[in-house]
Amino acid sequence: MNEIICPNCKTAFKIDEAGFADIAKQVRDQQFQEELQNRLQLAENEKQSAVKLAEANLRNQLQGDLTQKDIELSNIKATKEAEIAQIKAKLDNAELQKQLSVTEAVQNIERERDALVNNLKSKETEAQLLEKSLNEKFAAELKTKDEIIKMKDEEIDLRKDMKLKLSTKMIGETLEQHCETEFNKLRATAFQNAYFEKDNNSSSGSKGDFIYKENDIHGNEIISIMFEMKNESDTTATKKRNEDFFKELDKDRAEKKCEYAVLVTLLEAESDYYNTGIVDVSHRFPKMYVVRPQFFIPIITLLRNASMNSMQYKAELSLIKNQNIDITNFEDNITKFKEGFAKNYDLASRQFKTAIDEIDKTMDHLQKTKDALLASVNNLRLANNKAEDLTIKKLTNGNPTMKAKFDEL
């Protein structure tokens, strides 16, 4: 038996060895538990310190990596921004050059257009002046012709009786001989380049009496006339009319390729219609006239002068036509220049669009690089979150050796 004194009440009591051993065990267990708690607390403190140290080291490492990535990203960003700025500068320069080129081209076109417009106005003014001059000249000639016709009408009024006006010499010879003689009197002075001979070609079955033709110094035909002479002695007992010979005369004119047909006649001597002078019957047959013998030379002169004036008008109209062709050529040249400029402008526009597309592709590539860097930062953030969530329990989970070590502590 062992005697034990209570430390609180100071009472002594006895206890056997089994009870004493039980009490001693309790004391030892309490001390062990206290020691164990102290050891566990110390291990927990060390663990916390180790974890904090590991976290600090990992955070520092991650921060350093992140800083390095930020630096690299900043460098890449600065490089790309510099490239983008350079590309933008090139684009601005290209746009400026394009605008300058377009402005210069437009100015050149406007200058050429103004020059062509001025030239066109000058041509139009010249054409108007020429047309006015021709009209004035034609009006003056018409006035002169009207005066001549008036004079002839006055003379005709004095010659109503045709037979009394013919000379005795003319009555005694044929009308053909009379006309040929009258023409030959003036051939050397008024008709030096004229051809006036009898029509001897009867291959077509008929022929006229005389053919008159005249050419200019260049060989161009001025006028050609088919003459038919008819008098009373040429007719039968039955009186014929002048219009009975129109159709045959027009046929002879066409076959001999003459421009005019003239019937010199003494038929229908009492007709006021044919006694008025030069009678135009072109309403029946084209370019046909009927005259009395005294108007044989005047009809040649009138038709000849009209043809010469017509040739002059044709030459002047041809000149105007050539000027109009020149103006048309100017307009065609303007059209060709506009088409060429539009083609070059379209080609430059397509090349400019291609450059823009390439720049867009480069910007898309830079955007993809930026997205990749942002994704890398996101992964670093996830890794940091995992490190902060790290614990001893998670580290020893599934690792018996480490768990035993910590259990011993």
Coordinates of all heavy atoms in Angstrom, one line a residue, residues 14 71 210 223 249:
K14 N -4.5 6.0 1.3 CA -3.7 5.0 0.8 C -4.3 4.4 -0.5 O -5.5 4.3 -0.6 CB -3.5 3.9 1.9 CG -2.7 4.3 3.1 CD -2.6 3.2 4.1 CE -1.8 3.6 5.3 NZ -1.6 2.5 6.3
I71 N 7.4 42.5 -69.5 CA 8.4 43.2 -70.2 C 8.5 42.8 -71.6 O 8.5 43.6 -72.6 CB 9.8 43.0 -69.5 CG1 9.8 43.7 -68.1 CG2 10.9 43.6 -70.4 CD1 11.1 43.4 -67.3
F210 N -26.2 68.5 -180.0 CA -24.9 69.0 -179.6 C -24.7 68.6 -178.1 O -25.6 68.5 -177.4 CB -24.8 70.5 -179.7 CG -24.6 70.9 -181.2 CD1 -25.7 71.3 -181.9 CD2 -23.3 71.0 -181.7 CE1 -25.5 71.7 -183.3 CE2 -23.2 71.4 -183.0 CZ -24.3 71.8 -183.8
I223 N -19.4 71.5 -166.0 CA -20.8 71.3 -166.5 C -20.8 70.5 -167.7 O -19.8 70.5 -168.5 CB -21.4 72.8 -166.7 CG1 -22.9 72.6 -167.0 CG2 -20.7 73.5 -167.8 CD1 -23.6 74.0 -167.1
L249 N -35.2 63.6 -175.2 CA -34.1 64.4 -174.8 C -33.5 64.0 -173.5 O -32.3 63.9 -173.2 CB -34.5 65.9 -174.8 CG -33.4 66.9 -174.3 CD1 -32.2 66.8 -175.2 CD2 -34.0 68.3 -174.3

